[in-house]
Amino acid sequence: CLGGGILSCGLTHTAVCPLDVVKCNMQVNPQKFTGLVPGLKVLISEEGYGAAGCFKGWLPTLLGYSAQGAFKFGLYEIFKDFYSNLAGEKIAKEWTGVIWLAGSASAEFFADIALCPMEMVKVKIQTSAKGTVPLQLGAAVNYMQTTPGTGFPFKSLVPLWSRQIPYTMAKFYFFERVVRLFYAYVFTNPRDSYSKSTQLSITFASGYIAGIVCAIVSHPADTLVSLSNKPAYAGKGFGEIAKSFGYGNLFTKGLGTRILMIGTLTGLQWWIYDSYKVALGMY
């Protein structure tokens, strides 16, 4: 489960790094980055391709989300069994959804502690004006440590919890529910009668649908995380930032791009995770 979590989260977040760069900049600079396609054009024309342009921040993305994935998926299985045993067989069966929610929330609490330092470095690299922040990981970490007002390494932890815990609860709950709905109403034969490729296709579709819900419920907190790394908001509390930026904007700026990004991410994460289990004979 740890290995599957590392691969599913680390690889997918790194693969969609260009979308993440545009999404973050749409949140902190919506006048310049007005949409996904226009934003990509601006990014490419001003900063180019590669690690200094579309893929800037790829290394802290890979490291941070690999660590997060290990805790998210690994601890979810542990907490799910713990809460099921604590509740007893009868209650656990009747309240399966609550067990999923409690297990995923508990796992994400610790996963975000592992993610937070690299997430702060990633966002700073991705949203800062060209030439103002080092792009190399070591130099960027040193910049964060020595620059007043960054709050490195855990200033963003509370909004990260606010973003990621609801996201992960939706991710696991709706994935589990949608998979069961597929097998109850669409693929009505016994699950084992379908090929592994068909089962994995159902996994991807269920993950994508769950990802859409995840994107919507976690978007305001995601916007706050991005804004907190903008120089104009240095030293300000999250309440002040939200009021200044506008509560409506917290819910809407960059949402379409985030739905595309998170839907794809979540579908791929579940597909990779279950493929990993298939390869090890665990699925």
Side-chain angles (χ1 to χ4, degrees):
C1 293
L2 290 174
I6 290 169
L7 291 174
S8 66
C9 290
L11 294 180
T12 52
H13 276 275
T14 305
V16 299
C17 191
L19 288 179
D20 196 23
V21 175
V22 174
K23 182 267 300 177
C24 288
N25 280 282
M26 287 172 65
Q27 291 169 329
V28 303
N29 193 359
Q31 294 79 23
K32 183 176 181 180
F33 291 83
T34 57
L36 175 58
V37 175
L40 279 171
K41 289 180 179 178
V42 169
L43 180 64
I44 292 170
S45 65
E46 292 188 358
E47 303 185 44
Y49 300 95
C54 286
F55 279 90
K56 62 181 179 179
W58 74 270
L59 186 52
T61 297
L62 177 63
L63 296 177
Y65 282 94
S66 293
Q68 185 214 35
F71 282 90
K72 183 199 299 276
F73 283 93
L75 290 181
Y76 172 67
E77 300 293 345
I78 293 172
F79 278 116
K80 187 170 67 171
D81 288 344
F82 172 75
Y83 291 130
S84 295
N85 293 331
L86 193 66
E89 184 177 353
K90 183 175 182 295
I91 295 176
K93 188 174 182 179
E94 293 174 352
W95 296 88
T96 303
V98 175
I99 299 294
W100 296 338
L101 291 170
S104 58
S106 300
E108 190 60 38
F109 178 87
F110 294 100
D112 290 341
I113 296 173
L115 168 64
C116 190
M118 288 297 100
E119 176 73 359
M120 290 185 68
V121 174
K122 173 192 82 74
V123 173
K124 177 61 75 174
I125 289 173
Q126 291 178 340
T127 59
S128 298
K130 185 177 181 179
T132 59
V133 173
L135 298 180
Q136 296 77 21
L137 178 61
V141 169
N142 182 65
Y143 173 89
M144 296 288 286
Q145 289 175 327
T146 57
T147 302
T150 63
F152 184 80
F154 293 114
K155 178 187 176 182
S156 295
L157 184 57
V158 172
L160 203 55
W161 278 330
S162 300
R163 180 188 84 184
Q164 289 296 134
I165 290 178
Y167 162 84
T168 300
M169 292 171 73
K171 174 179 180 173
F172 282 88
Y173 179 85
F174 284 101
F175 172 77
E176 301 272 17
R177 284 293 182 211
V178 172
V179 166
R180 281 160 175 74
L181 289 172
F182 268 125
Y183 284 111
Y185 297 104
V186 182
F187 300 88
T188 54
N189 293 327
R191 182 182 298 200
D192 291 343
S193 67
Y194 296 104
S195 66
K196 292 299 182 185
S197 61
T198 300
Q199 293 182 47
L200 290 173
S201 297
I202 295 169
T203 291
F204 176 80
S206 301
Y208 200 101
I209 293 169
I212 294 172
V213 180
C214 294
I216 294 170
V217 301
S218 63
H219 188 68
D222 181 66
T223 304
L224 278 176
V225 171
S226 296
L227 289 171
S228 67
N229 285 279
K230 192 175 180 181
Y233 295 115
K236 291 187 177 181
F238 292 107
E240 290 180 88
I241 295 173
K243 185 176 180 180
S244 174
F245 189 67
Y247 295 106
N249 289 333
L250 286 179
F251 284 88
T252 58
K253 293 299 182 183
L255 179 59
T257 301
R258 182 165 168 77
I259 287 174
L260 175 63
M261 173 182 156
I262 297 300
T264 305
L265 267 178
T266 308
L268 285 173
Q269 283 174 1
W270 280 113
W271 184 85
I272 291 171
Y273 183 68
D274 279 355
S275 296
Y276 179 84
K277 291 166 72 174
V278 166
L280 295 182
M282 299 167 62
Y283 185 81

